[in-house]
Amino acid sequence: MSGLTLIGFDIEAYVARTLAEDLGEGLPGGGHDVTSESVIPEQARFSGVMDSRDAVTVCGLPIAEAFFRALDPAVKIEHLVTDGTRVEPGTALMRIEGSARALLTAERSALNTVQHLTGIATMTREYVDAMGETKARLLDTRKTIPGLRVLEKYAVRTGGGHNHRMGLWDAAMIKDNHVAVAGGVGEAVRRALAAGIAEVICEVDSLDQIEPALAAGATRLLLDNMAPPMLREALAIVAGRVPCEASGGVRLDTIGAIAATGVDYISVGRLTQSAPAADIGLDFTPL
């Protein structure tokens, strides 16, 4: 493998689990690729090229490599680009040579992963570009596919974005439902700080919630579903006392105006929730 390490994510376990699902391990009649085993001679070898059919920001090639190596440890792999590279349609990404059966069995799992992660990285790069020359930084959210958060957030970083919270454990984020139970933004913030939490992000959806949140000690404000004029009003009230994040309904055609208000961060759930898979293919030739 190419040495990619993702903290909190076991790539080998992910590969094994994904291949086991595709092979039907543990199911009656499962545990093998019936098509490849019946059609492809055991000693047959393939060479292939993975390429992009779209203009994309590439992501996931080391993980694709891990799929092929899991089934053919002797496979020859040449990376023609690296993760994070922006490529045009028709660009070759990776050359592969090895056991035909193994490569065909691993092909779909490898491509699914690269297509998904490249789609996220590509959309992220589009949003970053649309923000223009502003100080705002693009953030992701916790709107991720269960079990794939670390991979998807890696794709966001690859596309030029930044990771927000990795989970429920690394910062407090007080939202409307927390506020409703606590009885107000100020009380919710005070409770979080009293529990010893260092970073307390408080969502506000109206201007009159800003001062109570700040007075209680919020370390960051999430300005929810505010149009640019209201964002400017909110930032004037905050007056630089804490960093501010714009969130809610951010689209590619609106993020530039939002960034221009002077917010520090803009979070976009659709980066991981709705990014379309990239069109990436893999064509093999018998040797």
Side-chain angles (χ1 to χ4, degrees):
M1 213 182 127
S2 295
L4 176 65
T5 299
L6 299 174
I7 297 173
F9 190 82
D10 187 331
I11 294 176
E12 290 185 2
Y14 166 72
V15 167
R17 186 170 61 249
T18 303
L19 290 173
E21 176 186 57
D22 210 15
L23 290 166
E25 290 185 4
L27 299 175
H32 58 130
D33 176 355
V34 296
T35 309
S36 295
E37 288 183 8
S38 62
V39 173
I40 305 297
E42 185 175 0
Q43 300 305 316
R45 292 181 62 79
F46 263 170
S47 66
V49 175
M50 182 184 294
D51 67 343
S52 175
R53 282 78 189 272
D54 294 329
V56 298
T57 297
V58 179
C59 185
L61 295 183
I63 302 167
E65 176 181 339
F67 276 106
F68 295 120
R69 290 203 184 283
L71 297 184
D72 180 4
V75 65
K76 298 178 181 178
I77 293 179
E78 180 185 5
H79 290 258
L80 304 176
V81 302
T82 58
D83 278 8
T85 304
R86 299 168 101 169
V87 302
E88 295 302 316
T91 301
L93 310 179
M94 175 189 287
R95 288 197 183 97
I96 309 163
E97 180 183 325
S99 163
R101 284 188 181 180
L103 298 185
L104 283 174
T105 299
E107 175 189 16
R108 178 44 51 198
S109 294
L111 280 177
N112 284 349
T113 301
V114 173
Q115 288 171 335
H116 180 56
L117 298 185
T118 296
I120 293 172
T122 300
M123 178 180 278
T124 301
R125 176 53 61 186
E126 290 172 347
Y127 272 75
V128 169
D129 289 346
M131 290 164 66
E133 297 297 323
T134 64
K135 72 171 185 177
R137 300 174 74 181
L138 181 66
L139 303 178
D140 54 22
T141 71
R142 286 172 45 243
K143 295 177 181 177
T144 55
I145 295 175
L148 295 185
R149 178 168 296 167
V150 173
L151 278 185
E152 293 179 341
K153 283 180 172 279
Y154 164 68
V156 169
R157 297 196 303 276
T158 301
H162 301 268
N163 296 152
H164 205 337
R165 296 188 303 162
M166 294 302 293
L168 294 170
W169 54 273
D170 54 353
M173 180 178 284
I174 295 167
K175 306 201 79 174
D176 52 357
N177 288 326
H178 302 105
V179 170
V181 174
V185 293
E187 180 60 23
V189 170
R190 281 189 288 273
R191 292 183 186 182
L193 291 171
I197 299 171
E199 184 178 1
V200 179
I201 306 164
C202 184
E203 176 186 277
V204 297
D205 54 21
S206 64
L207 299 179
D208 61 6
Q209 291 179 314
I210 293 175
E211 284 297 351
L214 292 177
T219 60
R220 182 155 141 189
L221 294 185
L222 189 156
L223 308 174
D224 188 45
N225 282 301
M226 294 185 182
M230 189 173 179
L231 283 173
R232 289 191 180 91
E233 288 186 64
L235 292 171
I237 295 170
V238 175
R241 286 177 281 176
V242 297
C244 290
E245 169 189 342
S247 182
V250 181
R251 305 189 309 272
L252 191 60
D253 62 339
T254 63
I255 195 169
I258 293 170
T261 65
V263 292
D264 300 285
Y265 304 101
I266 304 174
S267 56
V268 180
R270 70 183 62 200
L271 300 178
T272 52
Q273 185 187 50
S274 308
D279 188 0
I280 293 173
L282 178 54
D283 295 317
F284 287 116
T285 302
L287 293 176

